[in-house]
């Protein structure tokens, strides 16, 4: 009986997502440089407005100043071994002043890779 319970707990742990670890790994792909760095323009930022995590899948809702910030962020996520499926993009977002474009992406993370730029 104890081994059955231990196996059930191991299975649950294997299927669970550690949110803090996931956020730590996700961050450098969304913004590859620190805020103080001149190497990355703030116009390319995505501001995460909502992150929903279900098992190994995340839904990331974000806003950007312009739609041309979305594709580079998605490319960085893919280079970090995330599978990215773009959802709806809305060009008239009023979620955050100055950020007029909203996007909703579905992400699934594979094994961890070293982030480009290395901001932590």
């Amino acid at each position: 009986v104890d081994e059955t319970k231990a196996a059930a707990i191991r299975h649950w742990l294997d299927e669970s997502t550690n949110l803090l670890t996931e956020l730590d790994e996700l961050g450098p792909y969304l913004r590859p440089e620190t805020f103080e760095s001149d190497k990355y323009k703030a116009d390319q930022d995505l501001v995460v407005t909502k992150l929903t995590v279900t098992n190994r899948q995340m839904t990331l809702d974000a806003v950007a100043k312009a739609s041309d910030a979305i594709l580079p962020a998605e490319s960085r996520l893919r280079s970090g071994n995330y599978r990215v499926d773009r959802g709806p993009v809305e060009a008239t977002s009023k979620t955050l002043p100055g950020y007029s474009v909203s996007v909703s992406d579905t992400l699934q993370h594979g094994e961890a890779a070293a982030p480009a730029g290395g901001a932590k």
Side-chain angles (χ1 to χ4, degrees):
V1 177
D2 287 340
E3 289 199 27
T4 303
K5 288 180 182 178
I9 291 169
R10 277 193 301 275
H11 176 72
W12 178 76
L13 288 171
D14 289 342
E15 294 297 316
S16 296
T17 300
N18 182 319
L19 187 57
L20 293 177
T21 300
E22 209 51 64
L23 288 171
D24 188 47
E25 292 175 5
L26 183 67
Y29 297 107
L30 291 175
R31 188 170 221 295
E33 294 289 334
T34 63
F35 289 115
E36 296 80 20
S37 175
D38 292 333
K39 297 178 187 176
Y40 185 80
K41 296 180 181 179
D43 288 351
Q44 293 298 302
D45 273 337
L46 291 184
V47 176
V48 177
T49 58
K50 182 178 176 183
L51 182 66
T52 306
V53 180
T54 308
N55 293 328
R56 302 267 183 213
Q57 183 171 299
M58 295 178 280
T59 303
L60 176 111
D61 295 339
V63 291
K65 290 185 178 189
S67 61
D68 62 351
I70 297 170
L71 187 59
E74 291 174 341
S75 295
R76 287 190 304 273
L77 287 164
R78 286 185 184 98
S79 75
N81 205 18
Y82 284 90
R83 186 176 129 217
V84 180
D85 296 317
R86 183 178 302 174
V89 175
E90 188 178 311
T92 58
S93 175
K94 295 183 174 140
T95 304
L96 187 65
Y99 291 79
S100 60
V101 179
S102 66
V103 64
S104 181
D105 283 344
T106 301
L107 309 176
Q108 201 155 17
H109 193 209
E111 293 300 315
K120 282 263 178 182

